[in-house]
Amino acid sequence: MQINHNNSILTLEDMPLDVGYSSEKVDLKNSAGEIFSIGGQNGATQLLISVPFIDDSLISQLRDFDTLLSLNALGGITKALIVANDTHDLPALEEWLSGYDYDEAFGDFYGVRLSNKELAKSLFIISKDGAVFYHEILNDLNEPFSVDKALAKIVAANSCYTGKGCHG
């Protein structure tokens, strides 16, 4: 997959993890050096966003997610912002986990590592049972995510899991 950024073309090093596949629990490191886990089955719907850079536009979009989730009474969702390494300054965002992919497990397992070793601008929704419910990998790093589409998918992912398995 080719990704555009200004006048450059980057490529993904691997195939992205597709909808329906089981997500993997991976560890990230926050700016204080503490390790935390995202992905996998944790009983909560998860919104995982990886980016190659953090700018005001992205911060605004993350706040839009917070507002829409709040207006739609969608609490208890794990929200994480992931960058490739500690050369990035992680923003202090209330209710968001922010971390570095220090061991490259997120980039490798989710298939979002770019040819320049940064992470693609991607959004994954993981259902309560740990499956990839939806993903969006942007072809242009300057474009915003489809917040409305992601919100609809979060609502669906949050409501479809009954906890009784596929025969319940």
Side-chain angles (χ1 to χ4, degrees), residues 45-49 65 77-80 96 123-125 154:
T45 300
Q46 300 176 65
L47 171 61
L48 309 179
I49 293 179
F65 274 114
I77 293 173
T78 301
K79 300 176 285 189
W96 283 82
L123 179 153
F124 285 86
I125 297 171
I154 291 169

Side-chain angles (χ1 to χ4, degrees), residues 22-28 36-49 65 69 74-82 95-97 106 110 122-135 150 153-158 161:
S22 180
S23 69
E24 183 77 16
K25 184 180 279 190
V26 296
D27 290 335
L28 302 176
F36 63 94
S37 298
I38 59 165
Q41 181 177 358
N42 74 357
T45 300
Q46 300 176 65
L47 171 61
L48 309 179
I49 293 179
F65 274 114
L69 291 171
L74 291 168
I77 293 173
T78 301
K79 300 176 285 189
L81 177 65
I82 305 116
E95 299 180 21
W96 283 82
L97 301 169
F106 182 82
Y110 288 79
S122 70
L123 179 153
F124 285 86
I125 297 171
I126 310 299
S127 62
K128 294 176 184 178
D129 64 356
V132 176
F133 195 83
Y134 172 78
H135 69 76
K153 296 295 184 177
I154 291 169
V155 169
N158 218 31
Y161 181 70

Side-chain angles (χ1 to χ4, degrees), residues 54-65:
I54 298 169
D55 59 10
D56 291 340
S57 174
L58 174 71
I59 300 299
S60 176
Q61 202 163 39
L62 297 178
R63 288 189 176 127
D64 288 347
F65 274 114

Side-chain angles (χ1 to χ4, degrees), residues 3-161:
I3 311 281
N4 297 310
H5 180 43
N6 299 333
N7 294 326
S8 299
I9 295 180
L10 303 165
T11 57
L12 288 177
E13 290 188 345
D14 207 349
M15 293 294 296
L17 187 62
D18 208 356
V19 172
Y21 283 85
S22 180
S23 69
E24 183 77 16
K25 184 180 279 190
V26 296
D27 290 335
L28 302 176
K29 193 178 285 188
N30 67 19
S31 55
E34 301 163 330
I35 294 175
F36 63 94
S37 298
I38 59 165
Q41 181 177 358
N42 74 357
T45 300
Q46 300 176 65
L47 171 61
L48 309 179
I49 293 179
S50 70
V51 293
F53 55 86
I54 298 169
D55 59 10
D56 291 340
S57 174
L58 174 71
I59 300 299
S60 176
Q61 202 163 39
L62 297 178
R63 288 189 176 127
D64 288 347
F65 274 114
D66 287 338
T67 300
L68 289 170
L69 291 171
S70 176
L71 289 173
N72 287 279
L74 291 168
I77 293 173
T78 301
K79 300 176 285 189
L81 177 65
I82 305 116
V83 294
N85 54 57
D86 63 4
T87 62
H88 302 275
D89 290 326
L90 294 172
L93 296 167
E94 197 172 313
E95 299 180 21
W96 283 82
L97 301 169
S98 296
Y100 308 113
D101 187 19
Y102 72 96
D103 62 359
E104 301 184 353
F106 182 82
D108 291 344
F109 188 82
Y110 288 79
V112 295
R113 185 164 319 286
L114 293 169
S115 52
N116 68 355
K117 304 302 179 197
E118 289 293 338
L119 299 179
K121 193 169 184 180
S122 70
L123 179 153
F124 285 86
I125 297 171
I126 310 299
S127 62
K128 294 176 184 178
D129 64 356
V132 176
F133 195 83
Y134 172 78
H135 69 76
E136 179 180 13
I137 299 172
L138 298 177
N139 291 324
D140 187 334
L141 298 180
N142 293 318
E143 291 296 314
F145 292 110
S146 299
V147 176
D148 293 336
K149 185 180 229 179
L151 178 65
K153 296 295 184 177
I154 291 169
V155 169
N158 218 31
S159 64
C160 76
Y161 181 70

